[in-house]
Amino acid sequence: MCGVIGYCGHRPAVPLVLEGLKRLEYRGYDSAGLAFLQVNKLEVIRSAGKLCNLEEKVAKTANTFAPVSIGHTRWATHGLPVEKNSHPHKSNNNALAIVHNGIIENFQELKDELLKKGYVFYSDTDTEVLANLIADELDCLLQAKFSKNYAELQTEIEHTPQLSAQYLPYVEEAFCNAIKKAYGAYAVVLLSPLIPRHILAARLSAPLLLGIGIEEHFIASDVPAFLPYTRDVVFLDDNEFVTMSAGSYEVKNIYSGEKIAKTVHHIPWDLQGAAKDGYKHFMLKEIMEQPRVLQECLVGRVQDDLVCLPELDTLPVPDSIRIIACGTSYNAGLWSQYYLEQFAEIPVTVEIASEFRYRKPILNKNELIVVISQSGETADTLGALRLCREKGYPVLGICNVLGSSVAREASASVYTQAGPEISVASTKAMLSQMVVLLLLALYYGQRKKLACPVKEILHELRALPDILERALPAMRERAKELALQYAFAKSFFYLGRGTGYSLALEGALKLKELSYIHAEGYATGEIKHGPIALIEPDFPTFALAFDDDNFSKVRSGILEIKSRQGRVISVLQEGTSLENDDIWYIPKTNLPEFLALPAMQLFSYEMADYLGKDVDQPRNLAKSVTVE
Ligand code: M6R
């Protein structure tokens, strides 16, 4: 979802902000813009569509060497993705410009108040309302102190920028006053000619981090935005705001104004981790690096054939587990139900976060809540986490992004250690979640002293990176062949049974989000309860038939489809066979899901690439869904 960035330092800020916006592109966006000061006057450049449009406009603007700038990639929530709705938004009196990620829920009430005072709105956004609300607060404060409003002070400000220090407390106060009146979830960054060397930024339930460089500071929605310059990061918490300049930063509570001492974290990623590395798309790179991800997920979690999850040692063994997540992370949770019940003998419920949080859920006594989120910032997942914490339940967060809200707010968190996932479509993150969830099942089996095959499963897991590494090149070729053959399809079924069921849901999700081909995932046994009516020659099925106790049943399901002239791609493990047109063999292991998942990811990737879709940034999607 929207990306924000701000820079104060010794480098030309405008090109740096543009570069930063490019590294935030993966979050999904439909327009972009930036602001800087030109002879102490606000300049705003905005453009609908891709960043190249903004770049073209910036290139035509003279003297963009300002040392302070803010920028934004917008994912439309209020109003169409057109230039007038792009950020930054200026206040009517040009006293400030802001960029904003999130939603201001009471924007209409605030707007009505401002309209009564004579403010004019040029966009359909909630952000422009906030910009004018801050300016309105500021004018009141300036009037009270200097007996002049911003417009009356403007000439003085333009000619004596050295006076800016005296205005800083008033801009800070106005910023906080306005934010206290705005309900919702947001990250806001402000630039004003009154304080030309500073940027203010505040956070409420939307990611915002400060990058600490030498004589330069960055503020952004995510680390890649400033990764070439620094890996030292301060994570802002809800209700905090920061005032930063090139040489200093100060974090305070929005409500009390108290200073807050923040810890500086060192991010272990490097730029290469967030670069395409010679691959055509981030998605392909992220699929192909899964053997390494499998290996790294195990680091520090396995010792002497035992699973170590010290993060959980202080929590009691639960009587039941409730897993809550969205999208791909939900599918990973659903997958783990089989293993948690089998190895840990703990009953498991799996819930979609947006449904869970708006029911009146009845939680069991001694229940552990597990929330899964790659980004750790998904609004619904966070909402569910908070609800469970308020009810006094322990929450385990499984997430990938270091220092994310889920990681910080959960009672305990386990990182999936997959490295930055840039492509909007989640691939390696799911694989890493599956590893952690499998380890969780073994861990509880161990703690309950059950006869669970910890040693055997760990052996299988350790062998997987090599098996997958060797299999991937041929898998990619097969995915390409099949994508070409099936590109005619307007709809697809994905079928799986047992541990294949949740993967079928994931396969369908990947195909629709990337190639825009309609796809539905079903439990194989469900197909004859209605969906089979749709089968005809141009409605193909992608079926997972693992070599397990379910094989013969899955085989019958596939044959039923074939006898209705349906075409089927069957993913089979080597050593099994089936009467079918398009078989896709994956190597034999006892954990076939870890090979079937990349196979399905590659099929969707090749299909989308063949059909000329925007693989890394599919239309209408955002990497991290920070609004409900
Ligand atoms: O960051 P999260 O894991 O919480 O994200 C949840 C979903 O938004 C995400 O998995 C989404 O479904 C992906 N686009 C799937 O590829």
Side-chain angles (χ1 to χ4, degrees):
M1 259 176 201
C2 309
V4 299
I5 177 167
Y7 174 78
C8 300
H10 46 79
R11 306 171 204 264
V14 172
L16 185 146
V17 160
L18 263 175
E19 282 301 314
L21 289 177
K22 278 189 203 153
R23 282 187 295 272
L24 291 176
E25 270 190 307
Y26 74 92
R27 296 172 68 82
Y29 72 107
D30 41 49
S31 56
L34 52 80
F36 58 97
L37 296 173
Q38 185 95 285
V39 204
N40 236 28
K41 268 203 183 121
L42 266 178
E43 282 288 332
V44 171
I45 308 176
R46 306 182 298 188
S47 165
K50 291 287 175 192
L51 274 171
C52 53
N53 301 343
L54 179 66
E55 271 181 305
E56 257 176 49
K57 281 192 172 179
V58 171
K60 288 183 196 144
T61 311
N63 187 18
T64 49
F65 295 102
V68 179
S69 174
I70 61 175
H72 189 263
T73 45
R74 172 172 188 257
W75 191 84
T77 54
H78 291 81
L80 294 172
V82 291
E83 187 176 325
K84 70 166 183 173
N85 289 331
S86 319
H87 300 205
H89 286 281
K90 288 200 277 188
S91 57
N92 283 180
N93 62 357
N94 287 327
L96 56 98
I98 61 171
V99 291
H100 159 224
N101 168 21
I103 289 183
I104 293 159
E105 285 167 8
N106 59 336
F107 88 102
Q108 194 56 54
E109 293 90 307
L110 297 170
K111 187 171 180 175
D112 292 345
E113 285 301 312
L114 291 167
L115 283 168
K116 277 188 222 152
K117 291 185 179 180
Y119 284 86
V120 180
F121 293 92
Y122 302 97
S123 75
D124 311 314
T125 65
D126 50 350
T127 309
E128 195 187 9
V129 175
L130 184 60
N132 283 306
L133 185 64
I134 303 170
D136 192 59
E137 292 285 338
L138 182 60
D139 263 350
C140 291
L141 295 169
L142 294 175
Q143 192 77 49
K145 177 71 187 171
F146 302 100
S147 307
K148 284 179 185 168
N149 63 20
Y150 176 78
E152 289 156 349
L153 283 169
Q154 201 170 359
T155 324
E156 196 174 314
I157 293 161
E158 274 165 26
H159 292 108
T160 48
Q162 62 278 15
L163 289 181
S164 69
Q166 68 172 330
Y167 300 120
L168 184 58
Y170 303 100
V171 184
E172 285 181 334
E173 194 177 336
F175 186 57
C176 292
N177 287 350
I179 279 175
K180 283 185 235 167
K181 292 183 179 169
Y183 309 130
Y186 44 77
V188 193
V189 184
L190 173 146
L191 177 67
S192 166
L194 264 185
I195 47 165
R197 294 188 186 85
H198 290 85
I199 282 177
L200 304 187
R203 168 199 155 120
L204 181 69
S205 296
L208 194 61
L209 6 131
L210 185 69
I212 318 282
I214 298 168
E215 284 304 307
E216 58 185 348
H217 288 105
F218 308 79
I219 189 89
S221 307
D222 201 357
V223 179
F226 51 72
L227 204 52
Y229 307 102
T230 182
R231 290 204 245 161
D232 291 334
V233 171
V234 165
F235 298 104
L236 290 189
D237 284 301
D238 282 353
N239 298 322
E240 287 180 353
F241 81 98
V242 61
T243 303
M244 66 183 219
S245 64
S248 68
Y249 72 91
E250 194 166 64
V251 179
K252 291 185 189 158
N253 183 286
I254 292 173
Y255 288 86
S256 65
E258 254 172 61
K259 280 189 198 167
I260 299 167
K262 303 290 290 183
T263 312
V264 178
H265 298 265
H266 188 70
I267 298 292
W269 316 339
D270 54 13
L271 197 56
Q272 206 186 354
K276 277 190 206 153
D277 234 356
Y279 285 98
K280 186 172 176 191
H281 297 102
F282 280 112
M283 181 183 181
L284 184 58
K285 177 198 169 210
E286 286 159 9
I287 295 173
M288 300 308 267
E289 67 190 12
Q290 289 180 109
R292 182 185 59 72
V293 170
L294 274 167
Q295 228 160 19
E296 287 179 5
C297 279
L298 295 177
V299 171
R301 312 236 177 269
V302 179
Q303 224 172 29
D304 303 330
D305 287 333
L306 285 176
V307 175
C308 317
L309 291 175
E311 301 90 334
L312 285 175
D313 289 347
T314 52
L315 296 178
V317 176
D319 292 338
S320 59
I321 291 180
R322 191 174 300 252
I323 298 179
I324 307 175
C326 302
T328 292
S329 297
Y330 167 84
N331 293 337
L334 196 61
W335 174 81
S336 71
Q337 184 180 34
Y338 288 82
Y339 287 110
L340 280 160
E341 292 186 345
Q342 187 185 341
F343 294 150
E345 296 181 13
I346 299 177
V348 176
T349 334
V350 190
E351 304 240 22
I352 291 172
S354 55
E355 288 297 318
F356 170 83
R357 62 185 293 210
Y358 291 111
R359 290 207 322 270
K360 296 216 170 353
I362 298 168
L363 304 178
N364 301 319
K365 210 168 145 241
N366 195 22
E367 181 156 281
L368 174 71
I369 313 299
V370 178
V371 299
I372 310 172
S373 174
Q374 187 285 130
S375 60
E377 301 292 349
T378 301
D380 282 316
T381 309
L382 254 177
L385 179 157
R386 288 175 183 157
L387 183 73
C388 296
R389 293 283 279 149
E390 274 160 27
K391 285 175 181 276
Y393 282 84
V395 178
L396 167 66
I398 296 180
C399 56
N400 191 36
V401 175
L402 201 82
S404 60
S405 301
V406 163
R408 285 177 297 147
E409 294 186 33
S411 329
S413 36
V414 176
Y415 285 110
T416 49
Q417 304 175 165
E421 188 179 69
I422 305 292
S423 170
V424 165
S426 190
T427 52
K428 63 175 181 171
M430 177 165 178
L431 189 99
S432 65
Q433 290 164 349
M434 286 162 56
V435 176
V436 168
L437 288 159
L438 185 55
L439 293 179
L440 187 69
L442 298 174
Y443 168 84
Y444 280 126
Q446 248 171 228
R447 266 183 81 178
K448 288 173 79 175
K449 302 199 179 354
L450 301 172
C452 102
V454 179
K455 198 170 164 186
E456 292 75 2
I457 297 291
L458 289 180
H459 176 77
E460 295 280 345
L461 269 175
R462 286 196 197 99
L464 276 175
D466 266 1
I467 300 176
L468 181 59
E469 182 85 66
R470 273 185 272 117
L472 274 172
M475 275 163 73
R476 185 162 176 218
E477 284 315 305
R478 188 70 177 129
K480 244 187 229 172
E481 275 166 29
L482 290 168
L484 247 74
Q485 255 174 267
Y486 282 84
F488 67 86
K490 297 278 171 286
S491 279
F492 252 94
F493 274 140
Y494 274 71
L495 300 184
R497 193 173 185 124
T499 59
Y501 167 49
S502 49
L503 292 197
L505 298 185
E506 175 60 11
L509 175 63
K510 279 291 90 88
L511 190 70
K512 58 190 153 206
E513 75 177 318
L514 288 163
S515 63
Y516 318 147
I517 294 174
H518 167 245
E520 301 239 28
Y522 272 100
T524 313
E526 270 294 294
I527 188 96
K528 48 184 167 305
H529 297 286
I532 201 165
L534 292 171
I535 292 294
E536 49 185 10
D538 61 0
F539 193 132
T541 297
F542 194 113
L544 300 175
F546 299 151
D547 186 11
D548 58 19
D549 296 347
N550 291 316
F551 184 75
S552 60
K553 294 195 179 66
V554 174
R555 180 173 174 273
S556 312
I558 293 174
L559 296 180
E560 277 160 20
I561 293 168
K562 288 198 55 62
S563 57
R564 281 153 186 87
Q565 275 142 27
R567 292 179 63 178
V568 185
I569 300 173
S570 306
V571 171
L572 295 190
Q573 292 185 260
E574 277 157 9
T576 54
S577 67
L578 204 122
E579 311 74 348
N580 190 23
D581 347 277
D582 287 316
I583 304 240
W584 185 345
Y585 277 111
I586 56 170
K588 170 128 192 74
T589 86
N590 287 328
L591 295 170
E593 308 90 319
F594 289 91
L595 290 142
L597 180 70
M600 291 191 307
Q601 294 165 346
L602 281 167
F603 179 67
S604 300
Y605 169 80
E606 293 296 349
M607 185 71 96
D609 192 34
Y610 178 65
L611 295 175
K613 307 297 179 206
D614 191 347
V615 172
D616 282 332
Q617 290 152 33
R619 70 179 178 210
N620 304 340
L621 295 185
K623 180 67 183 161
S624 157
V625 184
T626 51
V627 294
E628 289 183 43

